[in-house]
Amino acid sequence: MTDASGGSWREAEQALEAGIDFERANAARIYDYLLGGACNFAVDREQASRILAQNPDMAYVCRANRDFLRRAVEWCLAHGITQFLDLGSGVPTAGNVHEIALAQHPDARVAYVDFEPVAVAHAHEVIGGTEGVSVTRADMRDPEGVLAAPGVRDLLDVGRPVALLTVAVLHFVPDAELPSILARYRAALAPGSAHVMSHGSADHDDPELAARTRAIQDGYRGSATEVVLRSRPAIRELLGGNELVDPGLVDIVDWPAPAPGERPTGGYAAIALFD
């Protein structure tokens, strides 16, 4: 449908030019929907329904990831790290990195990076010229391109510690070169920087937990962002040989301390410190 001026057709053309895929669901928009957001399409909601049918815990897992992000940002701030490079930042929702950081440290700097056009466009709207915050559309698999982008290069001082955030994103990156890609980020950042990560896995002693995580993977099949479930050793490899902050690589709900009342998510979380 279109009006007399053909406006809606032009909007659709602009969306296609921006790289928005209306035919396949996308992880950033699915995540937004599962967190109760509105920046998603029917195809994303349909895929989310299939994921929830496979594992009704998925919305809980998303919220747990969001809570881990908050705790990790607070840990970084408490340890003097006030710059954040958030890769695969997704659609901004309540409790964004910059909201947490700026509330506690007004001089904090947050560079959001994502490749999904809807996520980037909405992030620009949410940020609205907030000082110390930038949004960049770039492919995280290109570290040099990301770090050279004006929104990153002109905001972050890589000569000082930076928190590299890869929360609930690397299991959407199938690239076999991912360990070396992440190593290139670490090589570009100052000593004292930290790598904050959460990642899905079916590598668990509890067979039911492993099955629930594999069900999530199955639910993403056919989307533009299918899930890669790596083993615990493979996830540890993504953090390089750097020292892990206590308690190490643990379930998302158990970082930084055990949460006996919370059911496990099937995802691992950790913070690694750079030498």
Side-chain angles (χ1 to χ4, degrees):
M1 297 178 65
T2 181
D3 58 24
S5 65
S8 62
W9 285 116
R10 284 198 298 273
E11 290 173 2
E13 289 172 356
Q14 289 168 356
L16 290 172
E17 289 173 3
I20 298 174
D21 187 348
F22 292 102
E23 301 299 323
R24 294 187 299 167
N26 176 275
R29 303 191 308 257
I30 293 170
Y31 192 65
D32 171 70
Y33 173 71
L34 290 170
L35 288 172
C39 292
N40 48 77
F41 304 139
V43 66
D44 305 305
R45 296 187 287 275
E46 291 167 7
Q47 191 84 38
S49 296
R50 289 195 288 274
I51 295 168
L52 289 168
Q54 295 277 358
N55 185 343
D57 269 357
M58 186 57 187
Y60 165 75
V61 172
C62 291
R63 292 193 299 271
N65 256 301
R66 199 71 184 175
D67 289 342
F68 164 68
L69 175 65
R70 173 184 52 78
R71 297 193 300 271
V73 169
E74 291 173 345
W75 185 94
C76 290
L77 293 169
H79 289 79
I81 303 175
T82 60
Q83 300 188 103
F84 299 87
L85 176 58
D86 190 355
L87 302 179
S89 49
V91 177
T93 60
N96 298 311
V97 174
H98 74 279
E99 291 177 341
I100 301 165
L102 293 176
Q104 299 186 35
H105 200 295
D107 294 329
R109 297 287 181 266
V110 179
Y112 291 115
V113 176
D114 205 296
F115 192 69
E116 207 286 317
V118 172
V120 172
H122 187 60
H124 277 294
E125 292 180 6
V126 170
I127 301 312
T130 303
E131 186 175 354
V133 186
S134 69
V135 180
T136 298
R137 187 182 180 207
D139 189 335
M140 64 161 288
R141 295 172 297 178
D142 176 16
E144 292 75 23
V146 168
L147 294 168
V152 177
R153 180 196 64 213
D154 298 342
L155 182 67
L156 303 182
D157 177 2
V158 295
R160 297 190 298 112
V162 173
L164 177 67
L165 307 180
T166 60
V167 175
V169 65
L170 297 181
H171 45 237
F172 296 112
V173 183
D175 200 323
E177 298 302 313
L178 187 55
S180 63
I181 290 170
L182 294 170
R184 282 149 58 194
Y185 279 106
R186 291 192 293 267
L189 301 179
S193 294
H195 184 179
V196 177
M197 179 199 293
S198 66
H199 194 300
S201 177
D203 186 0
H204 305 288
D205 293 334
D206 180 350
E208 291 186 7
L209 179 58
R212 290 203 304 271
T213 311
R214 284 193 293 270
I216 293 174
Q217 181 185 42
D218 291 340
Y220 274 92
R221 295 195 193 283
S223 73
T225 43
E226 295 195 355
V227 170
V228 178
L229 295 177
R230 294 180 171 91
S231 68
R232 200 169 188 274
I235 294 171
R236 179 64 180 88
E237 182 186 4
L238 297 179
L239 294 162
N242 297 291
E243 175 187 1
L244 300 188
V245 173
D246 286 340
L249 189 63
V250 296
D251 192 275
I252 292 164
V253 298
D254 292 326
W255 197 100
E262 298 289 340
R263 62 186 182 277
T265 65
Y268 286 113
I271 294 183
L273 295 177
F274 300 7
D275 295 329

